[in-house]
Amino acid sequence: MDTIASFFSFITTPVSWVIVQFHAVYGAIFGPNTGWAWGLAIVSLVILIRICLIPLFVKQIKATRAMQTLQPEMKKIQERYKNDKQRQSEEMMKLYKESGTNPLSSCLPILAQSPFFFALYHVLNGIASGKKIGVINDSLLESARQAHIFGAPLAAKFRDGSSTIEALGASVTDVRVVTVIMIVLMSASQFYTQRQLMTKNVDTTVKTPFMQQQKMLMYVFPLMFAFFGINFPVGVLVYWLTTNVWTMGQQMYVIRNNPTPGSKAQAAYLERLTKHVTHQGKVRRRSEKTIIKAIVAKGRDRNEFERKFINSLNKAGFAAQADGTVSQSASPAMAQGEDGTAAGTTATATATARRQQPKRQSKSQRQSGAAKQADESPSLEKSDESQDAKPTAAKQPQKPGSATRSKAQSGQRKGGPQRPKSPSKK
């Protein structure tokens, strides 16, 4: 670690100067030799660096989403040229060039703040060994060696021996307890940041190897922090814990306000946006207009959550416009659905069917109707019997086969040619 930190010694002077300036401010409040003054100076250094890295963070988000979009194409290239690695690499580079993406863009914030991290490590390591680093003079060096954070010296490490820790005015137990707690918090914050990215802000409709890689990193990064954390000074642990907390909060803000399309976070965001638009009747924030504009531009390529959002606005009597605003329709019943059909047609048919249904009768009305029907039924039966009796009397029923016998007696055959009659004796 010392060898790596020596490569970034060129930035040690600017980093030490920033820490000294913040220490002068906090030293006037808490005292120059306190852990609060030096610890808050390190925290302020982290905040200043992360604010400067916000443009790179935005670029990282765009690059990560672009990589997620390209995953199906990348998988096809891998399967097509699985036996030709050189051609596979060429096709991958061609795909990156056509889409304008860069795989290294997702690592820009980490790479950009690495020099500051190692420079701070170099400064704190010099404080632990009693060497002047950058703009830190003898008085500041002595003040930093006296500073303790929860009983642990600023420059102490978990693996330091008892003689080194006692020279800094602390005990081995205090140093190890504080460093273990910081390492656990540092690993837990990193795990939670990666977990919320995987569970809330990943497109669940596309299953790609990229998701498996991110899931693996969710467990690998915390283990790496725990492994390297035992070699970090307490001041560096403060730095890394602060930057992890910042990243976690920044990630939560992005997931809530600018989620990945097709993710669970987008479903929750569009549900909140629907309630806001239907209640307020308009869109106020520029970010909301940008998202609505992108959804409208997709047309029939919208995902499930985006279609539900458009349909919910239509049912409430609003229509999303191409510029990201919403306008109120003339009637919610006549709002047009996404497929171009009128949503009011179903409502009108339902209302007509309800009007045509017979009026429900009370119990007393049903009983009176049943009694009336019972009184009328005997007369109807009598009339039916009288009508049936007349044709019975007019026409006597014949026994089956009587017509056949009469024809046989007259010498005629049933069907076929008839037999001539014999001449009479007369």
Side-chain angles (χ1 to χ4, degrees), residues 265-277:
Q266 189 195 30
Y269 175 82
L270 293 180
E271 185 176 355
R272 295 193 305 268
L273 184 58
T274 303
K275 294 180 180 179
H276 170 74
V277 172

Side-chain angles (χ1 to χ4, degrees), residues 135-172:
V135 299
I136 297 179
N137 52 28
D138 293 333
S139 61
L140 291 173
L141 181 61
E142 185 63 26
S143 175
R145 289 175 64 86
Q146 294 179 11
H148 291 68
I149 298 177
F150 301 109
L154 198 68
K157 305 175 186 177
F158 179 85
R159 299 182 63 181
D160 285 344
S162 58
S163 59
T164 304
I165 295 177
E166 289 174 359
L168 296 173
S171 65
V172 177

Side-chain angles (χ1 to χ4, degrees), residues 73-132:
E73 298 296 330
M74 294 172 62
K75 189 175 181 180
K76 291 179 181 178
I77 293 175
Q78 291 175 353
E79 293 177 353
R80 185 179 301 174
Y81 305 105
K82 58 182 178 180
N83 296 326
D84 191 351
K85 298 298 181 182
Q86 183 178 357
R87 182 67 183 277
Q88 185 180 116
S89 302
E90 293 175 357
E91 293 295 329
M92 288 289 187
M93 296 302 296
K94 184 179 178 180
L95 180 63
Y96 294 150
K97 186 177 181 180
E98 292 177 353
S99 59
T101 58
N102 187 356
L104 297 178
S105 298
S106 58
C107 304
L108 284 178
I110 298 177
L111 296 176
Q113 67 176 329
S114 297
F116 301 98
F117 170 77
F118 288 111
L120 178 63
Y121 178 87
H122 193 54
V123 170
L124 295 175
N125 195 41
I127 292 174
S129 58
K131 297 178 182 179
K132 293 184 292 184

Side-chain angles (χ1 to χ4, degrees), residues 279-296:
H279 180 71
Q280 299 291 336
K282 58 182 179 180
V283 182
R284 294 182 178 180
R285 297 180 181 179
R286 183 182 300 177
S287 59
E288 295 176 350
K289 292 182 179 179
T290 303
I291 291 178
I292 294 177
K293 182 178 179 180
I295 293 175
V296 173

Side-chain angles (χ1 to χ4, degrees), residues 13-264:
T13 300
V15 169
S16 61
W17 183 84
V18 173
I19 292 177
V20 168
Q21 301 308 312
F22 281 122
H23 173 263
V25 175
Y26 294 117
I29 301 173
F30 301 101
N33 300 330
T34 60
W36 285 103
W38 286 99
L40 291 176
I42 296 174
V43 171
S44 301
L45 172 67
V46 175
I47 295 174
L48 178 62
I49 294 173
R50 295 309 300 265
I51 290 175
C52 296
L53 295 179
I54 286 178
L56 292 179
F57 180 75
V58 174
K59 193 172 182 179
Q60 177 194 20
I61 294 174
K62 293 181 179 179
T64 303
R65 293 184 180 177
M67 290 296 294
Q68 291 177 352
T69 306
L70 293 178
Q71 286 303 307
E73 298 296 330
M74 294 172 62
K75 189 175 181 180
K76 291 179 181 178
I77 293 175
Q78 291 175 353
E79 293 177 353
R80 185 179 301 174
Y81 305 105
K82 58 182 178 180
N83 296 326
D84 191 351
K85 298 298 181 182
Q86 183 178 357
R87 182 67 183 277
Q88 185 180 116
S89 302
E90 293 175 357
E91 293 295 329
M92 288 289 187
M93 296 302 296
K94 184 179 178 180
L95 180 63
Y96 294 150
K97 186 177 181 180
E98 292 177 353
S99 59
T101 58
N102 187 356
L104 297 178
S105 298
S106 58
C107 304
L108 284 178
I110 298 177
L111 296 176
Q113 67 176 329
S114 297
F116 301 98
F117 170 77
F118 288 111
L120 178 63
Y121 178 87
H122 193 54
V123 170
L124 295 175
N125 195 41
I127 292 174
S129 58
K131 297 178 182 179
K132 293 184 292 184
I133 301 293
V135 299
I136 297 179
N137 52 28
D138 293 333
S139 61
L140 291 173
L141 181 61
E142 185 63 26
S143 175
R145 289 175 64 86
Q146 294 179 11
H148 291 68
I149 298 177
F150 301 109
L154 198 68
K157 305 175 186 177
F158 179 85
R159 299 182 63 181
D160 285 344
S162 58
S163 59
T164 304
I165 295 177
E166 289 174 359
L168 296 173
S171 65
V172 177
T173 303
D174 292 340
V175 171
R176 292 186 176 178
V177 169
V178 172
T179 53
V180 167
I181 292 175
M182 286 188 175
I183 290 172
V184 170
L185 292 176
M186 186 173 62
S187 301
S189 59
Q190 177 65 33
F191 177 80
Y192 181 77
T193 301
Q194 192 70 19
R195 187 177 183 275
Q196 71 174 349
L197 179 66
M198 289 297 301
T199 56
K200 296 182 180 180
N201 206 37
V202 173
D203 188 357
T204 57
T205 60
V206 181
K207 304 295 183 181
T208 62
F210 179 77
M211 296 178 60
Q212 299 296 329
Q213 295 174 3
Q214 294 295 318
K215 187 176 181 180
M216 181 181 65
L217 293 177
M218 182 173 64
Y219 297 99
V220 171
F221 274 145
L223 294 177
M224 291 177 59
F225 280 115
F227 176 77
F228 290 110
I230 60 177
N231 297 312
F232 291 162
V234 174
V236 175
L237 293 179
V238 172
Y239 174 92
W240 207 249
L241 177 60
T242 305
T243 192
N244 279 2
V245 173
W246 176 281
T247 303
M248 182 175 63
Q250 198 173 43
Q251 188 73 49
M252 291 175 65
Y253 177 82
V254 171
I255 290 175
R256 179 176 176 82
N257 296 283
N258 192 16
T260 300
S263 62
K264 295 181 180 179

